[in-house]
Amino acid sequence: IEMASLGEPLLSGGGGASKKTSTMRMMAVTAAIVFTVGTLSALVVERSSLRSALEEKDAALAQREKQLTQALASLSASRSSSDMLLRHESEAKSAVREASDAAAQKVHDADMRESEKKIEAAIGEIKAAVGDAADAAVAAARSHASSESSSLALPHHHETPSPPMNRKVYPPSRISVDPKTPKAAVDKYKEDGFSLILSDEFHDMKRTKEIFIFEDLPYGIPGNTGDVNIVSYYSSDMVSLIPGGGLRLSAGMSKESFEKFHKGHNSNGTNPNYDTLPELWEWKAPKVTSRLNGRFQFGLVE
């Protein structure tokens, strides 16, 4: 190509032309080889650059992976620490509760022991006092019996036993049996060892008032008077005796209301007051309270 540019023919006869052709071919091959080697060198350089870049990226990824692993390990350690703290806190609360319960139980036991000691001391004092009093009473009784025996000079005197200890002596029971009580009622439980101490056949109001109290309460108190559940006041005059024996408890209008009610009668025999409500009128009823004093084994019972 260079020779052609100098104006020399590329093809000519003779040996010179063949030599030039070979030279030209050698130069072309050399140029191609050089070009190929340059291209390969560039490719090798580029491959080396790419390999370096990949290695750097791999190193960066490895570093990042290492950092993430460390971060996960740190989070796991933090979580374990939190769980441990929560567990320790729960154990501490349980220990505090157990200690508080134990302390409360100890205080309670101490109080119980102290109370038991006080009770035992009080019982001991009571026993000592009762024993002293009993001994004194027995000694006094024996002394009195001995003096009476010696003064009367009775050869076969038997000592009267003292009453049981700690037993109160009560007065005789009050016996109030109505003379008109049937004999069958009086003797009904005599075979069982019981005796009648109170009866009333309701023949004498004075006697009845000794056993029962008939109240006079002049103010409005609701109560049950039969069909009418209204009471204006309680009055003792609503109690009466039934001829032949018995007690009658009555309820009705007061005198003022009774007179006012019957003023409503018309000439034709009707009375519109029968259609009125009961609470529009004043009522009275009896209130009877028992006051019985009877002696039982352990004392008087009202």
Side-chain angles (χ1 to χ4, degrees):
I1 295 172
E2 181 181 357
M3 291 176 69
S5 65
L6 296 177
E8 295 182 358
L10 294 174
L11 296 175
S12 62
S18 176
K19 186 178 180 180
K20 289 182 178 181
T21 301
S22 297
T23 302
M24 293 287 292
R25 288 178 178 174
M26 288 295 294
M27 292 177 64
V29 171
T30 303
I33 291 172
V34 171
F35 176 77
T36 301
V37 171
T39 302
L40 289 173
S41 299
L43 290 174
V44 170
V45 172
E46 184 177 359
R47 183 178 179 182
S48 298
S49 299
L50 291 174
R51 182 177 293 174
S52 299
L54 289 174
E55 290 177 354
E56 291 178 357
K57 288 184 178 179
D58 290 340
L61 290 174
Q63 184 66 23
R64 183 61 177 169
E65 183 178 359
K66 183 178 180 180
Q67 293 176 354
L68 290 175
T69 302
Q70 293 177 353
L72 289 174
S74 177
L75 289 175
S76 178
S78 299
R79 183 175 180 180
S80 299
S81 300
S82 299
D83 294 340
M84 186 177 296
L85 288 175
L86 291 175
R87 186 169 60 254
H88 289 169
E89 182 180 2
S90 177
E91 293 176 354
K93 288 182 178 179
S94 299
V96 170
R97 283 195 298 270
E98 291 176 358
S100 178
D101 295 340
Q105 186 64 33
K106 288 182 179 179
V107 171
H108 177 71
D109 294 341
D111 293 340
M112 291 295 294
R113 286 193 296 270
E114 187 66 24
S115 300
E116 290 176 356
K117 290 180 180 179
K118 291 182 179 179
I119 292 173
E120 290 177 356
I123 291 175
E125 293 177 358
I126 292 172
K127 287 182 177 180
V130 170
D132 295 341
D135 294 340
V138 171
R142 289 178 177 176
S143 175
H144 181 69
S146 299
S147 62
E148 286 186 352
S149 176
S150 59
S151 62
L152 295 175
L154 295 178
H156 300 289
H157 177 72
H158 296 282
E159 182 178 340
T160 303
S162 60
M165 298 305 301
N166 300 329
R167 181 172 179 178
K168 186 176 180 180
V169 179
Y170 298 98
S173 60
R174 174 188 172 190
I175 300 176
S176 178
V177 178
D178 193 339
K180 294 187 178 182
T181 303
K183 188 176 185 302
V186 175
D187 299 335
K188 186 174 182 179
Y189 296 101
K190 184 174 290 185
E191 293 182 357
D192 298 330
F194 296 99
S195 61
L196 184 66
I197 63 172
L198 176 71
S199 67
D200 189 8
E201 298 298 321
F202 302 109
H203 288 278
D204 183 3
M205 182 61 75
K206 180 180 178 182
R207 172 183 175 79
T208 299
K209 287 185 177 180
E210 292 178 355
I211 304 172
F212 299 96
I213 291 180
F214 305 100
E215 307 282 0
D216 285 298
L217 302 176
Y219 50 85
I221 299 177
N224 190 359
T225 60
D227 294 335
V228 180
N229 193 23
I230 298 171
V231 173
S232 297
Y233 60 93
Y234 292 115
S235 176
S236 61
D237 62 2
M238 302 304 289
V239 179
S240 60
L241 296 179
I242 300 174
L247 190 68
R248 176 183 287 115
L249 307 178
S250 305
M253 285 185 176
S254 65
K255 181 179 179 181
E256 294 78 8
S257 290
F258 185 81
E259 293 176 354
K260 183 178 179 181
F261 182 88
H262 287 286
K263 284 181 180 180
H265 283 290
N266 297 319
S267 57
N268 58 2
T270 61
N271 187 347
N273 289 331
Y274 281 104
D275 297 327
T276 59
L277 295 174
E279 54 264 31
L280 298 178
W281 306 93
E282 186 178 57
W283 300 85
K284 59 181 181 178
K287 182 176 177 62
V288 182
T289 305
S290 64
R291 288 289 185 267
L292 170 62
N293 290 323
R295 186 179 71 82
F296 292 86
Q297 180 180 358
F298 299 105
L300 290 174
V301 176
E302 180 178 341

